Amino acid sequence: EIVLTQSPGTLSLSPGESATLSCRASQSVGISYLAWYQQKPGQAPRLLIYGASTRATGIPDRFSGSGSGTDFTLTISRLEPEDFAVYYCHQYGFSTRTFGQGTKVEIK
Amino acid sequence: EVQLLESGGGLVQPGGSLRLSCAASGFTFSSYAMTWVRQAPGKGLEWVSAIHSGDETYYADSVKGRFTISRDNSKDTLYLHMSSLRAEDTAVYYCAKDRRSSTSRVPGEDYWGQGTLVTVSS
């Protein structure tokens, strides 16, 4: 099973600042098989990025994904108030999938 | 408009069984893979199971042999039959639609239901 480790656990930032979230895999993940999700309290997750770097429909361009192999990054430039949430990376293995433990982006 | 509506959650005793349903609308249900993801109270997301359009099924090790995913394309409904339930199965269970289709093979759960709470307790 591929283990995804996200860092940092919590990121304290102010609106307008940029956020860099890391997702490291225990084994190589195919570039098409890494996604990022956003979750706000009491809500279902929302797909942000699929294929490591492609924004899902309706996702603002301040969200960007990059990386390959075992290291992936989600960058949020110019944080808006609605961006403060928990972010999860997710890998789609051949027969099993795993989520990272999440990074909470909170208002400083 | 794509909608996913889960039902069937509730309180069940350890060792008991429960069947969750997810009614889908707004898309051609039979053409898409579907997924169950759960979230224990105050915890992160955990992938549970997936079923592809060709009925191939996949499970997390934590539920293999106890949970069964299935779909009824005539009713546009996804199911998760859960048996031998344990306290650690207590969670909100979400169903989600996979965006993969005949034109795109890159996965991602692009639509989610609001979830149904399963509580395993005596």
Side-chain angles (χ1 to χ4, degrees), chain B residues 7 45 47 63 70 110 117:
Chain B
S7 61
L45 302 174
W47 175 76
V63 306
S70 63
D110 55 358
L117 176 62

Side-chain angles (χ1 to χ4, degrees), chain A residues 1 31-35 37 39 42-47 50-52 88 90 92 94-101, chain B residues 35 37 39 43-47 50 52 58-61 94 98-100 104-110 112-114:
Chain A
E1 173 180 294
I31 196 167
S32 295
Y33 299 100
L34 194 287
Y37 294 86
Q39 188 180 33
Q43 296 185 16
R46 179 173 71 147
L47 177 64
Y50 61 89
Y88 296 92
H90 182 42
Y92 294 74
F94 176 72
S95 61
T96 189
R97 308 178 190 175
T98 48
F99 284 93
Q101 82 278 19
Chain B
T35 301
V37 172
Q39 187 168 36
K43 302 298 184 182
L45 302 174
E46 181 185 14
W47 175 76
H52 288 194
Y58 305 90
Y59 299 93
D61 288 344
Y94 295 101
D98 192 325
R99 63 175 300 281
R100 277 178 284 194
S104 174
R105 303 306 300 168
V106 182
E109 271 67 38
D110 55 358
W112 295 68
Q114 281 307 299

Side-chain angles (χ1 to χ4, degrees), chain A residues 70-105:
Chain A
T70 60
D71 289 294
F72 298 87
T73 300
L74 175 70
T75 302
I76 314 170
S77 60
R78 307 179 310 277
L79 280 162
E80 297 285 343
E82 62 267 28
D83 299 336
F84 292 91
V86 180
Y87 293 84
Y88 296 92
C89 58
H90 182 42
Q91 67 83 23
Y92 294 74
F94 176 72
S95 61
T96 189
R97 308 178 190 175
T98 48
F99 284 93
Q101 82 278 19
T103 289
K104 182 179 182 180
V105 179

Side-chain angles (χ1 to χ4, degrees), chain B residues 6 8 10 21 44 46-47 49 59 83 85 89 91 106 118:
Chain B
E6 302 97 337
S21 300
E46 181 185 14
W47 175 76
S49 182
Y59 299 93
S83 61
L85 282 161
D89 296 317
V106 182
V118 173

Side-chain angles (χ1 to χ4, degrees), chain A residues 2-78:
Chain A
I2 296 177
V3 176
L4 300 179
T5 302
Q6 292 187 239
S7 61
T10 302
L11 207 45
S12 298
L13 295 166
S14 300
E17 292 190 297
S18 293
T20 301
L21 287 66
S22 173
C23 176
R24 178 160 291 177
S26 60
Q27 304 171 41
S28 183
V29 174
I31 196 167
S32 295
Y33 299 100
L34 194 287
W36 289 91
Y37 294 86
Q38 176 194 66
Q39 188 180 33
K40 298 178 182 179
Q43 296 185 16
R46 179 173 71 147
L47 177 64
L48 295 177
I49 301 286
Y50 61 89
S53 61
T54 303
R55 280 186 300 277
T57 302
I59 302 303
D61 61 7
R62 63 180 181 273
F63 290 92
S64 62
S66 63
S68 64
T70 60
D71 289 294
F72 298 87
T73 300
L74 175 70
T75 302
I76 314 170
S77 60
R78 307 179 310 277

